[in-house]
Structures are given as C-alpha cells and as structure tokens.
Amino acid sequence: MYRWCTDEVEPHDRFDYWREVRSKGLFGVTAELERERRADFYGEFSLRQLGGAGLVELKASHYKVERSTTDIAYAPSDSICVYQQLGSGGWFGGMRGGDFSIANGSFATSHTDLPYRTVPLGEGGFHLRILKIPVRNIPAQDKRMRELSPRTFNDPGLAPLLGACFADLDEVAAADDGANGAQASSLAQAALVQALAHLALIERGIVRPGSRLGQAALRTARLSRARRLIARNLQDPNLAPVMVADLLGVSVRHLHMLFEAAERSFSQTVTDERLQQSRRLMREAPDRLIADIATSCGFESLATYYRVFNAAYGMAPGDFRAQGSEGH
C-alpha cells in the first residue's frame, strides 16, 4: 500500500504540491482553491493495487476538482470508476447527463475519460473511496462502457451489495498486507473487483442480471452481504437462514446455494463468527464473565459454548483467556 499526506510538505507548499504532483500527476485532474485558503489545506490518500484494479481512499479539505478534455488528453485512463461517498456529500457537474449530488454512503459510477467537475458539499471536504478498474480487465467488453458519464446508483437493491463488496475488499486487502494466504487473498480480491465492476454495469444497463457475468457478480455480492448480515446479528439467538434470506431478499434455498459454493455452510459460518467474536471479547474484556460473553455472542447455553469452543480450538474458553493474560 502507498500512503501520502500533505504533512510531508511545508505548509505554504501543500496545496501547490497536491495540485501539481498528486491531482494532476497521479489522478489526472485539475485542482483549484482560493489563494487565501491554501495555507490551511490538508489532504491524504492511500492507494492499493487489488485484483487488477486500483483502490484509492482520499480525504482532503475543501477544494474544487475538474477533469477537463485537456486533462483527459494529457492523462487518458480508459477505466471504469466506482465511487463510494464516505464524507458529508459531493456535487458533480459539467456532464452530458446533468448535475447531481451524492450523499454519504451512496455510490456513483463513471468512465474516467469523460469530463466532469466536483466539489464537496459543505465545508467538511472530500472523503471517498474510488475503485478504478481498467476496461481491458473487465470481461464484459462493451463500447457503451466508455460512454458512462458520472451518475449515482439508482437501484436501491444493488447499493447494499456494492457496500458489502467494498467492505470485504478492504478486509481482504488488510489481510494481504499481513502476508498471510497471499494466493487466496489475490483470488478473493479479483472476484470482488469483478463483482463490483459488473454490479456497476448491471446498474447502468450494460450487463444483464441474468447473464453469466451478471449472475456471478450477484452471487459474489450476495454472499458478501449475507456474511455481513450474519456478523451484524450474532447476538440474536434466533439467527437462522430464514432471517438472513429475508434481509437479503432471496429464498432460503438460494441462500443455502450461495454458501454451498463457499468454503463453509451457513451454520458453520454462524458458529465460526460467534467463536471469533467470543475470542475478541475475551481479549478486550478480560474481567467479563465467560457466561456473559457466550450469551452476547448468541450461544444458546454455556454448555453449548464450551463444547463448540473446545471442538474448534482444542481447549476451554478459560484456558484460551489464561493464555492471553500470560502473553501480556
């Protein structure tokens, strides 16, 4: 991962450096800010190469951005961008499709080589993620991909799937930074990047949901979303396939099919998530009663928790906790 922030530059040079080296040189855009506000400018970003795409997270104080025809000619990219707005919101203009605003938590898509202007809404500045996927790396080759001017996601059913894939991509990338399971991480990254690309193209009407590529993207995204729904509802002892299928908007049969194609079944995933959560709680709260932890993680009884924990790790929860305290 590559990280950079304006703290590395003298205050009076920060915006000029950001404009000339980062905005124009790295992102191919023109940055503008009133001269009297430049002394207070702050910006930071990270860049990861994942699954044949670049994932950027950017935070910066308020300034104006434009990708003009001159910028495009100077730095063509031929990529699809999927944006996730994390800050207070942003405005896009200067496009054929008209102006629009994007709210916190929302998504937008575009082709990189079409002009636009954007500014943050309010004085909070920019905070967003951008997944930049070269067109050559997207199996769904279609000339219409190069005609995608910036637009927000209008399909409320796809947005949660997109959010789950983005969150998983972050987690897989963080795990890869630890150099564990590099091959598995690389495969997972590629699958998530392709799912995000094709979900965006489904939303823009270029990929059909029922096509082979569309179905593969929806399977990957629904599995990501299902796992996150499980993690969110671990405390509920009634956590069951019916609940998750209903939240996901699919049949129980379809939900089981998603997990059959994965490494673990639905019930194995629930048990594993509950065990991992219990381990985290024992490390974070060493004085908390084990019975209380078991209940808070959704185990139906203390006896069940002990049996499942011992089967998974070859020791009792108390012994695991004792090992942790000895490590400190």
Side-chain angles (χ1 to χ4, degrees), residues 200-217:
L201 295 175
I202 288 172
E203 202 274 339
R204 299 298 289 260
I206 292 175
V207 169
R208 290 183 298 104
S211 68
R212 178 179 59 83
L213 294 173
Q215 288 181 335

Side-chain angles (χ1 to χ4, degrees), residues 96-172:
R96 289 176 302 182
D99 301 355
F100 68 87
S101 295
I102 178 170
N104 176 270
S106 297
F107 299 91
T109 52
S110 73
H111 187 271
T112 53
D113 295 349
L114 294 172
Y116 67 87
R117 297 190 303 273
T118 182
V119 293
L121 292 176
E123 291 302 311
F126 286 106
H127 186 194
L128 68 159
R129 272 195 205 102
I130 309 165
L131 183 67
K132 187 176 176 182
I133 314 161
V135 167
R136 66 177 182 276
N137 293 344
I138 301 174
Q141 291 296 313
D142 190 304
K143 64 181 182 180
R144 289 176 294 170
M145 286 194 285
R146 295 181 172 88
E147 301 170 359
L148 298 179
S149 59
R151 196 182 80 184
T152 53
F153 256 60
N154 294 319
D155 188 332
L158 288 178
L161 301 181
L162 215 66
C165 287
F166 256 114
D168 277 3
L169 194 57
D170 258 358
E171 290 184 4
V172 169

Side-chain angles (χ1 to χ4, degrees), residues 197-236:
H198 290 124
L199 287 174
L201 295 175
I202 288 172
E203 202 274 339
R204 299 298 289 260
I206 292 175
V207 169
R208 290 183 298 104
S211 68
R212 178 179 59 83
L213 294 173
Q215 288 181 335
L218 288 168
R219 280 196 302 271
T220 298
R222 284 170 177 159
L223 184 59
S224 288
R225 174 74 173 149
R227 287 169 173 160
R228 294 195 166 273
L229 288 168
I230 288 171
R232 186 184 302 169
N233 291 280
L234 284 179
Q235 289 183 305
D236 192 336

